[in-house]
Amino acid sequence: MAEIAEPTLGSLSTQLEAQVQLAAEFIRQGKLVAMPTETVYGLAADAKNEKAVQKIFEVKGRPATNPLIVHLADLSHILEWVTLMPETAVILAKRFWPGALTLVLPKHPSVPDIVTGGQQTIAIRIPNHPLALALLQAVDTGLAAPSANRYGHISPTLAQHVEADLGTRIDYILDGGACDIGIESTIVSCVSDIPVILREGSITRAEIAETLGLSVTALKASDPVIDPADLSSTLKMPGSDHSHYAPSKPLYLLDTNLILEKLPLLIEQKAQLGLLCISTSITRYCTDNFLKHFNFIWASMPCDPKEYARTLYEKLRSLDQTDAEILLIETPPQTSEWAAIHDRLWRASQKKSLF
Ligand code: TXA
Ligand code: MG
């Protein structure tokens, strides 16, 4: 039997190619299209069309001061979007693009201010997804695209998530199936001499530092800091709003021992719980003690950080739709490869203790 190849750029099936062309036509008409990327789904508009970009903010309910990432097909027209590619940016772009890396660079004056929330810097990414790249080539311009969710809600990793959040308010969803990475890109500001990681992602601080041969600072979501790379800016770090990446139910991060200690109490109080756990000790405990007796929903998560990231948002959305009143998440290991996941869980969680 002939092998069926994964679609790659230039070899999309006729059906997918037709869908890309339809999506491109919507973009040319100034409409909004949800597009799959390897990280999460983006809500795309022509970045040079101010009215179309304005619609992104309206549809998401996103404050106009929160800048958007501009997605490009390749580096060939980068100097229409940025005034300068510092050497650090060139090195990172060569190593990680197309991929889950967003670079913050000095904005070209021809880019509408609405895209960058009035800032003089612009976030750029070349995504690594055949449908996103095909759409970008078809429209032959940059696409401004935040994650395709209501503002503050969990980012979508399936077309169905976009449909549930924004389906009635957008023109087209290009369905690329499940996103491979599952959490948003790593954002690195390259506007000052020393690059700063503004948002952690699947490309780790260690990989950035190793590529540049420099030690690199990562801003922590738990520090209420201003972007040090842009001292004139009052912008907080990306996604630092308290409700960011959050389900609608209260979510608490708890260490393994605390879960084991407090779970019986919570269950006796008849709290309806949803639990995401990693460690086998909790999994075993849940199976042995509770599953059969209580209305208690739990899921065991992968122990590998990349696999955990791939399924995290889908699991959070599913738990959010159950009867659970409180969501508990077992704190993942404190090692560096879990940094981006800690960041997202912290942003999604209640900033106070459950006990
Ligand atoms: O993986 C991703 O990055 C996805 C996919 C669709 O590309 N996009 C995404 O976009 O997560 P969004 O808008 O949900 O998050 C982008 C973050 C925002 O928190 C925004 O504040 C920050 O990037 N950002 C955009 N432009 C910036 C700039 N010029 N300086 C600092 N932060 C910026
Ligand atoms: Mg977002």
Side-chain angles (χ1 to χ4, degrees):
M1 210 171 80
E3 196 183 318
I4 300 170
E6 286 285 309
T8 52
L9 191 56
S11 69
L12 295 181
S13 70
T14 319
Q15 193 188 4
L16 280 176
E17 183 58 42
Q19 289 169 8
V20 168
Q21 292 309 328
L22 187 57
E25 190 48 37
F26 280 119
I27 295 285
R28 283 185 215 106
Q29 292 169 6
K31 294 182 172 165
L32 303 188
V33 167
M35 68 170 177
T37 81
E38 77 280 34
T39 57
V40 299
Y41 275 73
L43 180 60
D46 177 349
K48 295 260 167 103
N49 180 335
E50 291 188 40
K51 281 193 183 147
V53 174
Q54 173 66 34
K55 272 192 238 163
I56 293 181
F57 288 96
E58 287 166 12
V59 161
K60 277 188 62 106
R62 178 177 174 120
T65 48
N66 194 340
L68 306 175
I69 298 174
V70 172
H71 298 71
L72 302 178
D74 53 45
L75 277 167
S76 57
H77 295 296
I78 185 96
L79 292 176
E80 289 175 20
W81 301 90
V82 307
T83 51
L84 174 80
M85 277 290 274
E87 202 190 330
T88 48
V90 174
I91 295 168
L92 292 174
K94 279 193 182 152
R95 166 81 174 78
F96 295 109
W97 279 350
L101 177 73
T102 296
L103 296 178
V104 173
L105 296 161
K107 169 186 168 295
H108 194 284
S110 68
V111 180
D113 285 339
I114 188 169
V115 173
T116 61
Q119 291 195 74
Q120 293 316 303
T121 58
I122 183 167
I124 303 280
R125 179 160 101 85
I126 300 180
N128 188 13
H129 190 289
L131 291 182
L133 288 171
L135 179 61
L136 284 160
Q137 290 201 335
V139 295
D140 196 23
T141 183
L143 290 175
S147 52
N149 51 279
R150 279 181 290 111
Y151 184 65
H153 195 214
I154 306 166
S155 294
T157 54
L158 288 171
Q160 289 83 338
H161 298 162
V162 182
E163 175 68 34
D165 258 29
L166 305 174
T168 55
R169 312 201 62 198
I170 63 178
D171 297 287
Y172 192 64
I173 301 174
L174 195 52
D175 188 347
C179 299
D180 195 36
I181 291 177
I183 56 170
E184 306 79 358
S185 60
T186 305
I187 302 181
V188 181
S189 171
C190 294
V191 293
S192 70
D193 291 344
I194 301 169
V196 179
I197 298 178
L198 301 182
R199 180 177 72 186
E200 307 224 37
S202 61
I203 295 171
T204 62
R205 171 151 70 141
E207 287 175 285
I208 304 275
E210 192 197 326
T211 305
L212 294 175
L214 291 171
S215 76
V216 179
T217 314
L219 300 188
K220 290 275 163 257
S222 44
D223 304 334
V225 281
I226 305 287
D227 177 1
D230 182 3
L231 293 175
S232 65
S233 161
T234 53
L235 178 83
K236 291 179 290 179
M237 63 182 295
S240 58
D241 294 12
H242 283 297
S243 63
H244 233 80
Y245 308 96
S248 59
K249 311 272 172 69
L251 181 154
Y252 294 88
L253 267 172
L254 298 178
D255 289 342
T256 315
N257 288 340
L258 202 57
I259 294 183
L260 286 168
E261 184 192 329
K262 302 286 187 184
L263 211 49
L265 184 82
L266 281 167
I267 288 181
E268 270 160 34
Q269 287 172 352
K270 303 243 182 305
Q272 304 240 329
L273 297 181
L275 170 68
L276 284 192
C277 50
I278 313 181
S279 63
T280 45
S281 53
I282 295 186
T283 312
R284 211 176 303 121
Y285 193 70
C286 291
T287 316
D288 293 348
N289 292 288
F290 296 115
L291 200 60
K292 298 182 205 96
H293 307 292
F294 295 93
N295 188 0
F296 165 60
I297 304 129
W298 67 283
S300 174
M301 294 292 285
C303 307
D304 172 72
K306 289 205 184 312
E307 303 215 344
Y308 187 108
R310 189 174 297 141
T311 104
L312 174 63
Y313 289 163
E314 194 188 342
K315 285 273 165 44
L316 283 181
R317 277 179 183 259
S318 305
L319 273 188
D320 208 22
Q321 277 159 16
T322 64
D323 294 339
E325 296 160 296
I326 300 175
L327 309 185
L328 305 181
I329 313 281
E330 182 185 0
T331 311
Q334 295 293 348
T335 51
S336 57
E337 64 275 26
W338 289 87
I341 290 165
H342 277 286
D343 169 86
R344 301 309 188 275
L345 290 176
W346 189 87
R347 292 170 198 250
S349 68
Q350 302 292 311
K351 311 296 180 283
K352 57 183 191 250
S353 167
L354 180 58
F355 302 104

